[in-house]
Amino acid sequence: MTRTLIICTSVSHGNTRRVAEAMAEVLGAKVVEPDQVDPAELGDYDLVGFGSGIFNQRFHPDLLRFVSSLPQQHGGAFVFATSGLPWVRFAPLLRSLRSKGFTAAGTFSCRAFDTWAPFKPVGGIRKGRPDRSDLQAARHFAEGLRSR
């Protein structure tokens, strides 16, 4: 059985946390925020997920700081994100994780309610997202991770 931990920064609307929890159901994982886990304990896990909403086309600074503070590791890592816009740049975070010794196991993203500055005057974009189909897609992604 694979021991899995999901580290998630979800600050605006809880979108990313909902996606993390959907994955955690499938993986039997615990979902924590970066400040709730000792980086030295990550070696106890076979697979670690790292996720956040996208802010100014980047993963949340708290998650990025956490990853940069990690000691050398081993094991698999997956990365996930929620975003109001259709593009997510996974490469910078994946590079950071690889430099720490992780092996990339996959990436996942879905659209999410977004009230970032230019969207705030119109009440935000992607209202109602992530929706049931997004959460099902997250579960399906997690099933793929579990079957590897």
Side-chain angles (χ1 to χ4, degrees):
M1 185 169 154
T2 302
R3 288 187 35 113
T4 305
L5 179 69
I6 299 176
I7 301 169
C8 169
T9 301
S10 184
V11 298
S12 295
H13 305 288
N15 298 323
T16 310
R17 181 74 185 210
R18 290 191 356 236
V19 169
E21 289 171 352
M23 291 178 184
E25 290 171 16
V26 173
L27 296 169
K30 181 178 178 182
V31 178
V32 297
E33 294 180 21
D35 65 354
Q36 295 175 316
V37 63
D38 179 353
E41 293 175 10
L42 295 188
D44 296 340
Y45 296 92
D46 304 304
L47 182 64
V48 182
F50 296 88
S52 81
I54 298 299
F55 298 85
N56 294 323
Q57 300 180 21
R58 293 181 184 89
F59 282 85
H60 194 277
D62 290 349
L63 184 68
L64 296 174
R65 274 191 294 276
F66 178 78
V67 169
S68 71
S69 75
L70 292 176
Q72 282 300 117
Q73 301 288 321
H74 65 278
F78 65 94
V79 177
F80 63 99
T82 58
S83 176
L85 298 173
W87 58 83
V88 174
R89 292 179 43 219
F90 287 108
L93 182 53
L94 288 170
R95 265 193 307 276
S96 293
L97 290 167
R98 284 186 191 114
S99 77
K100 299 296 181 172
F102 286 101
T103 301
T107 62
F108 175 84
S109 69
C110 69
R111 302 291 67 84
F113 181 50
D114 190 346
T115 53
W116 179 55
F119 308 127
K120 196 170 199 144
V122 296
I125 60 171
R126 311 285 187 249
K127 293 178 184 173
R129 303 282 302 271
D131 59 19
R132 187 180 324 187
S133 66
D134 295 318
L135 298 178
Q136 186 56 38
R139 288 183 193 95
H140 181 72
F141 170 77
E143 287 167 1
L145 291 172
R146 187 179 64 189
S147 68
R148 289 183 189 179

